[in-house]
Amino acid sequence: RLQPVQARAAEADLACAWREVAGDGVERGGLAGAVGADERQYLPLPHLEGRRLDRDQVASLARQIIAVREAGSRVVLVSSGAVAAGMGLVGLDRRPVDLPTLQACAAVGQSELIQTYQRVFEGSGLAAGQILLSQDDFVRRGHYLNARTTLRRLLELDAMPVINENDAVATEELSYGDNDHLAALVASMLDAQLLVLLSDVDGLYDGDPRVGS
């Protein structure tokens, strides 16, 4: 059964958290043939430092993922950050509020985001594979099966899947709004044994912590 886990992004030591959460309940194993219910982690993260991509945070997360992989687990990462990266590259001082500008920033920032991860992964001989998903990819059966097949093949090839919402084309009506939702769908798609959500929220609330106690 999928186990939801939450840890604060600023304080998370992913390798330690994995050992504490998974313990002996998640089996280790290599990739042979079709991917079954092997251990994977889906980690949505806000990579914002002011108006630019927080490259130090991205690099830290990438190094921790490498450590988790070396301990015998397979990881799929769901990561935000494309809009933040794009804002810095096009010289915007604040996050845009109109959809076309947001999408333009995402289009510019996607390559910068994946390259930031790749710079760290390549030091351990890993290749990052970027996949951009939208709601259509989970609603349309053909899209869903193709996305799942691609993710499974990336894992078979020992590549590092990095997933983000396809913000450059997603409309407001078809947008997930946050990567927690997307990560849960990806975890279900791949029969993940563990879903880890890294967040800057202190814990579980029964209301909006920004407007009450």
Side-chain angles (χ1 to χ4, degrees):
R1 176 175 296 180
L2 186 67
Q3 306 171 59
V5 180
Q6 187 170 31
R8 291 194 62 182
E11 302 172 357
D13 182 328
L14 188 54
C16 290
W18 173 260
R19 290 193 295 270
E20 292 174 2
V21 172
D24 296 327
V26 179
E27 63 187 51
R28 295 165 57 93
L31 284 164
V35 176
D38 296 311
E39 58 270 35
R40 288 181 285 269
Q41 296 172 332
Y42 305 87
L43 313 172
L45 281 178
H47 294 310
L48 292 174
E49 184 183 55
R51 64 185 177 91
R52 296 181 183 273
L53 185 69
D54 186 346
R55 290 173 177 79
D56 290 339
Q57 184 178 348
V58 172
S60 175
L61 176 62
R63 288 191 294 270
Q64 293 181 63
I65 288 175
I66 291 169
V68 170
R69 285 174 53 99
E70 290 176 346
S73 299
R74 287 185 288 183
V75 181
V76 171
L77 173 68
V78 177
S79 173
S80 58
V83 173
M87 288 167 55
L89 292 173
V90 301
L92 294 181
D93 292 326
R94 61 183 61 184
R95 185 180 178 88
V97 296
D98 63 293
L99 185 59
T101 307
L102 281 169
Q103 291 178 321
C105 288
V108 172
Q110 285 292 355
S111 60
E112 176 66 16
L113 177 64
I114 195 67
Q115 287 175 25
T116 303
Y117 280 115
Q118 180 60 33
R119 291 185 191 107
V120 181
F121 288 142
E122 66 185 4
S124 296
L126 296 177
Q130 184 180 50
I131 296 184
L132 303 178
L133 298 174
S134 68
Q135 283 201 20
D136 270 356
D137 297 317
F138 292 90
V139 174
R140 298 187 180 184
R141 184 64 175 168
H143 289 202
Y144 179 91
L145 293 175
N146 286 338
R148 186 178 66 181
T149 298
T150 300
L151 283 167
R152 287 178 170 179
R153 187 57 179 150
L154 283 170
L155 291 169
E156 290 172 354
L157 294 171
D158 206 28
M160 179 62 228
V162 179
I163 299 172
N164 197 2
E165 185 170 1
N166 195 354
D167 294 315
V169 298
T171 63
E172 185 175 357
E173 293 78 9
L174 293 178
S175 174
Y176 288 108
D178 64 74
N179 274 337
D180 290 356
H181 184 188
L182 177 58
L185 290 172
V186 172
S188 177
M189 171 191 282
L190 293 176
D191 296 324
Q193 289 186 313
L194 189 67
L195 167 64
V196 178
L197 302 179
L198 299 187
S199 172
D200 58 359
V201 178
D202 288 327
L204 186 63
Y205 294 86
D206 59 5
D208 190 341
R210 297 170 296 181
V211 296
S213 60

